């Protein structure tokens, strides 16, 4: 953790390091520092609550991108059993930036799909930094259609800076692949639950983001564009990313106020990367509750409600 802290976390990490050193010293020389350690731990918890309850949108963005944050494969291993990953789109090839397959969640078969980043340079190159090519979105759609056929709910995990903008991706129809997913998900005849678990960027996120319920983790973000790209377009420089993050209204609280997400999932103190098991436990209980609710709805009503939901997000007027 000490090698992966953010600037605003520095005072917390320093105090955490001091506590650890005191524990080691007490163990080594046999002294009793229990009271002092307890006092420092209480102070650290108070500091954490203050810092993480007053994060700026830019700090939330940094936390959502934290290299130790749990990714879709982490959630699958903690929440699900018998995961069988499916590969390829049957048109071009496989895309490691998009994970898709079937698993058992609380004794029920589900289709699970999500963006997968890496934790080091080699993994990020392999996973293309979590930025899918068209074949990634087509693979996701193939698994969604499989879920529809076998009446399995779909759970998607969003965590990407955006779809890959390279020439090869454009040549293979990146825009069409994203648009096709939006169209097909809007009428898929099975429950869809979307979880924004980290960074939700642009159409690359939305391509697996059309659902009956959209959940977002407390420190995740979701936006039409990254703060850096927004800054570059508006002010011709990336140095105003912090200002752009505030203007984009991309935090969980902002999105909930605007009705773009249904529920904010609390994270462990300090963020999801601090306690994978606690985060998975919280998410798992909410997923089970939401899926049970959706399964009670007739399919025709489910699909109509989903269509109406996205059709009414923004209002507009035609000019006469």
């Amino acid at each position: 953790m000490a090698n992966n802290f953010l600037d605003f976390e520095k005072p917390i990490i320093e105090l955490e390091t001091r506590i650890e050193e005191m524990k080691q010293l007490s163990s080594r020389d046999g002294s009793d520092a229990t009271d002092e350690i307890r006092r420092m731990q209480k102070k650290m918890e108070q500091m954490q609550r203050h810092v993480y309850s007053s994060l700026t949108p830019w700090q939330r963005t940094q936390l959502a991108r934290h290299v130790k944050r749990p990714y879709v494969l982490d959630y699958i291993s903690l929440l699900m059993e018998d995961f069988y990953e499916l590969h390829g789109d049957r048109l071009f090839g496989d895309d490691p930036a998009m994970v898709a397959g079937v698993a058992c969640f609380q004794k029920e078969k589900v289709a699970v799909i999500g963006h997968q980043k890496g934790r080091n340079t080699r993994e990020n190159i392999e996973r293309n930094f979590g930025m899918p090519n068209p074949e990634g979105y087509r693979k996701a759609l193939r698994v969604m259609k499989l879920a529809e056929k076998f009446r399995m709910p779909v759970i998607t995990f969003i965590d990407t800076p955006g779809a890959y903008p390279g020439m090869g991706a454009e040549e293979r129809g990146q825009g069409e692949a994203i648009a096709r997913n939006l169209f097909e998900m809007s009428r898929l005849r099975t429950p869809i639950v979307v979880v924004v678990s980290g960074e939700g960027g642009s159409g690359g996120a939305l391509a697996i983001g059309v659902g009956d319920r959209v959940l977002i983790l407390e420190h995740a973000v979701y936006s039409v564009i990254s703060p850096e790209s927004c800054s570059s377009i508006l002010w011709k420089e990336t140095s105003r990313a912090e200002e752009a993050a505030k203007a984009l209204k991309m935090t969980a609280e902002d999105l909930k106020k605007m009705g773009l997400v249904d529920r904010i999932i609390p994270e462990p103190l300090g963020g999801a990367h601090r306690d994978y098991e606690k985060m998975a436990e919280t998410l798992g209980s909410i997923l089970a509750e939401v899926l049970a609710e959706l399964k009670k709805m007739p399919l025709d009503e489910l699909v109509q409600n989903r269509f109406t939901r996205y059709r009414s997000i923004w209002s507009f007027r035609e000019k006469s």
Side-chain angles (χ1 to χ4, degrees):
M1 181 63 199
N3 296 324
N4 292 288
F5 66 85
L6 303 168
D7 289 343
F8 60 86
E9 295 180 305
K10 189 175 180 180
I12 298 170
I13 300 302
E14 288 176 350
L15 190 54
E16 191 176 48
T17 303
R18 284 171 56 195
I19 292 171
E20 189 58 36
E21 289 172 351
M22 188 169 290
K23 286 180 179 178
Q24 291 176 3
L25 181 63
S26 177
S27 175
R28 196 162 52 240
D29 61 17
S31 60
D32 185 7
T34 305
D35 290 340
E36 180 63 15
I37 290 171
R38 190 180 294 119
R39 185 189 66 79
M40 291 175 70
Q41 286 175 330
K42 186 175 180 180
K43 181 180 177 182
M44 185 180 73
E45 186 175 329
Q46 290 173 341
M47 188 184 295
Q48 285 178 315
R49 292 192 185 282
H50 172 71
V51 168
Y52 293 107
S53 65
S54 56
L55 295 176
T56 67
W58 177 240
Q59 289 170 334
R60 290 280 181 95
T61 304
Q62 292 176 299
L63 203 56
R65 295 169 174 173
H66 199 289
V67 69
K68 294 295 185 181
R69 197 169 178 85
Y71 299 143
V72 61
L73 287 174
D74 298 309
Y75 287 116
I76 289 171
S77 67
L78 288 166
L79 287 172
M80 301 175 190
E81 298 176 341
D82 301 326
F83 176 61
Y84 190 89
E85 186 174 359
L86 298 171
H87 297 276
D89 65 343
R90 294 182 176 173
L91 290 170
F92 179 81
D94 188 44
D95 186 353
M98 184 73 76
V99 169
V102 295
C104 189
F105 173 67
Q106 298 196 357
K107 300 181 180 179
E108 179 183 11
K109 288 293 183 183
V110 297
V112 58
I113 297 161
H115 304 99
Q116 178 68 30
K117 297 177 180 177
R119 300 203 188 280
N120 53 46
T121 302
R122 182 188 61 79
E123 289 179 2
N124 268 317
I125 291 172
E126 179 185 346
R127 299 285 183 179
N128 201 32
F129 296 84
M131 296 186 292
N133 282 280
E135 50 271 22
Y137 295 114
R138 290 173 178 139
K139 173 172 68 174
L141 180 58
R142 179 166 80 88
V143 173
M144 289 182 210
K145 299 299 282 186
L146 186 73
E148 179 183 50
K149 180 177 180 179
F150 291 101
R151 300 181 182 179
M152 293 184 289
V154 175
I155 302 173
T156 71
F157 289 84
I158 290 176
D159 189 9
T160 180
Y164 184 58
M167 184 179 293
E170 297 297 338
E171 289 174 343
R172 296 195 297 277
Q174 185 71 288
E176 188 278 337
I178 293 172
R180 173 61 58 180
N181 277 26
L182 300 181
F183 174 74
E184 294 291 351
M185 289 185 79
S186 70
R187 62 179 190 171
L188 200 73
R189 295 181 64 80
T190 195
I192 307 173
V193 180
V194 176
V195 180
V196 184
S197 56
E199 176 186 15
S202 192
L206 194 59
I208 59 167
V210 178
D212 303 296
R213 295 291 183 272
V214 179
L215 315 177
I216 185 168
L217 269 60
E218 181 182 358
H219 298 307
V221 294
Y222 197 14
S223 177
V224 69
I225 194 171
S226 72
E228 294 91 339
S229 296
C230 178
S231 174
S232 178
I233 291 170
L234 292 182
W235 300 297
K236 311 303 179 187
E237 55 180 310
T238 59
S239 60
R240 296 173 70 176
E242 186 170 354
E243 186 179 346
K246 184 178 180 181
L248 284 167
K249 304 293 183 185
M250 60 197 299
T251 67
E253 288 81 3
D254 287 329
L255 295 163
K256 183 71 169 64
K257 287 176 185 176
M258 292 187 287
L260 299 177
V261 300
D262 299 294
R263 191 163 175 175
I264 299 173
I265 304 174
E267 298 188 24
L269 189 59
H273 61 284
R274 286 276 184 165
D275 193 333
Y276 281 28
E277 290 187 358
K278 186 176 180 181
M279 185 68 253
E281 182 182 352
T282 302
L283 176 58
S285 63
I286 293 174
L287 278 174
E289 178 186 329
V290 170
L291 284 172
E293 174 195 343
L294 293 175
K295 285 194 300 181
K296 293 176 183 176
M297 297 176 63
L299 279 178
D300 288 338
E301 181 182 345
L302 186 82
V303 174
Q304 184 57 50
N305 287 351
R306 188 190 309 151
F307 179 83
T308 303
R309 168 200 177 98
Y310 285 92
R311 184 66 178 80
S312 61
I313 282 178
W314 298 116
S315 59
F316 64 91
R317 290 182 301 173
E318 291 187 9
K319 241 182 153 181
S320 57

